[in-house]
Amino acid sequence: MTKHRAWQDQLSRKQMLGILAVLDQCEESGGGHAFKEGLVDAISTYFGVRDVTFFHGRTFPDIFDDPAPLLTGAASPLLPTYHDRWRDKDIFALPLSRRVLTTSGFASLDELSHLPSPQRSYVVDYLRPHDMYTASALHLPLADGEALIGMFGTVRPWDESDLVAMRVLARQLRTRTVTVAAAEQPVDPLKGLTPRQFEVAELVSDGLSNSEIAERLFLSELSVKKYISRIFDTTGHRNRSELAIAVLRRGHRSQARRGQGPHRLAPEVT
């Protein structure tokens, strides 16, 4: 019986360091435009990708309508043409691509066989005339929607270890970006909370129920309900999930500012 090789054994030292460097950049940039620029630049630098793009939307279909994506290299001047002629023919908007991307976080053109005619035209008439012979994408869940990181190049194919490296990178990034917002967030929505209200908000983010919070803080459930109602009024959040994400995002930014040392790669879940 052939023993399955662990992904750590399939990657070179350079690929491992590249993954760590991209994760470091993701942590340091916080969110907003700095996050987009840092991630795009890190992927281009450490994985040798010529053209990298960052599209963002509230939902997966909205990604392709991003009015102001971040584009680099040969892709930079193509946005008007893309919006006018090609966004509905994008290979990564196909149902198969969406399933692969939202499940594993990474998909490449080579994995998409039997393209429909509009998507074949996208490859032949849009990508190749601009020297984009390779195309891959990372999908990231974000605090304010979803993002697609497009990666395009000339003739450099992804070999098996490259594919493994990108899938590992996708898995690691996706555990971190759920608390990151791609849109600019100049105002901390939790800034106006009192210390006691913020304490309640943290317990909400920990998944505690009103009765559990009341027991923890020696309050009545009615008092907890009033606290949470005032917290929603102050922050503008509509439900406990949005509040929890805001608390986690603030903690994430605080950790990034303090510096957390080298990252450890999370083990692969099989």
Side-chain angles (χ1 to χ4, degrees):
M1 176 180 286
T2 302
K3 186 177 180 180
H4 178 69
R5 294 175 65 198
W7 60 263
Q8 295 94 331
D9 299 330
Q10 301 179 58
L11 303 184
S12 67
R13 183 174 183 273
K14 180 179 179 181
Q15 289 168 326
M16 293 288 286
L17 291 175
I19 292 171
L20 291 172
V22 174
L23 295 178
D24 277 336
Q25 181 60 56
C26 175
E27 294 284 352
E28 291 172 3
S29 57
H33 194 70
F35 167 71
K36 296 180 184 180
E37 283 192 330
L39 186 57
V40 164
D41 181 66
I43 289 174
S44 176
T45 300
Y46 294 105
F47 286 93
V49 181
R50 189 194 66 181
D51 306 326
V52 184
T53 64
F54 189 113
F55 280 69
H56 168 242
R58 289 292 299 175
T59 66
F60 190 91
D62 292 337
I63 289 173
F64 305 93
D65 293 325
D66 187 345
L70 180 59
L71 306 176
T72 66
S76 185
L78 300 180
L79 184 60
T81 302
Y82 176 83
H83 276 161
D84 289 344
R85 293 189 55 192
W86 300 107
R87 62 181 169 183
D88 60 335
K89 303 175 182 66
D90 196 307
I91 54 174
F92 296 117
L94 287 169
L96 172 60
S97 301
R98 179 175 181 173
R99 286 196 298 273
V100 174
L101 284 164
T102 56
T103 300
S104 69
F106 174 77
S108 69
L109 174 60
D110 292 341
E111 297 173 292
L112 305 174
S113 58
H114 308 298
L115 290 174
S117 180
Q119 281 69 36
R120 285 201 304 273
S121 179
Y122 174 88
V123 172
V124 174
D125 300 322
Y126 175 64
L127 295 182
R128 289 182 180 172
H130 297 97
D131 292 328
M132 298 182 189
Y133 286 86
T134 63
S136 304
L138 292 170
H139 171 265
L140 303 178
L142 302 172
D144 60 347
E146 303 179 47
L148 209 59
I149 316 303
M151 296 169 286
F152 306 92
T154 51
V155 294
R156 176 184 177 274
W158 294 106
D159 63 27
E160 185 58 34
S161 68
D162 289 323
L163 294 174
V164 173
M166 294 310 300
R167 292 190 178 103
V168 172
L169 176 62
R171 186 167 58 251
Q172 299 295 326
L173 276 174
R174 283 160 65 86
T175 65
R176 291 163 168 78
T177 59
V178 290
T179 60
V180 176
E184 293 297 330
Q185 301 286 329
V187 178
D188 181 357
L190 305 178
K191 188 176 181 179
L193 298 182
T194 67
R196 188 63 154 176
Q197 288 172 339
F198 187 73
E199 186 177 15
V200 172
E202 286 187 309
L203 293 175
V204 169
S205 75
D206 289 337
L208 273 64
S209 66
N210 286 358
S211 62
E212 290 171 328
I213 295 173
E215 183 178 357
R216 180 77 62 88
L217 300 181
F218 303 102
L219 298 171
S220 68
E221 283 193 54
L222 179 59
S223 294
V224 172
K225 288 180 182 179
K226 289 180 179 179
Y227 268 115
I228 293 175
S229 178
R230 293 191 193 104
I231 289 169
F232 286 161
D233 289 341
T234 300
T235 63
H237 295 119
R238 296 165 295 179
N239 53 54
R240 298 170 84 97
S241 295
E242 288 186 2
L243 177 61
I245 288 173
V247 173
L248 290 171
R249 186 161 63 236
R250 177 190 251 212
H252 170 84
R253 284 198 292 260
S254 297
Q255 289 178 354
R257 285 195 297 268
R258 289 195 299 267
Q260 297 299 301
H263 290 286
R264 294 182 182 272
L265 296 186
E268 182 174 16
V269 178
T270 57

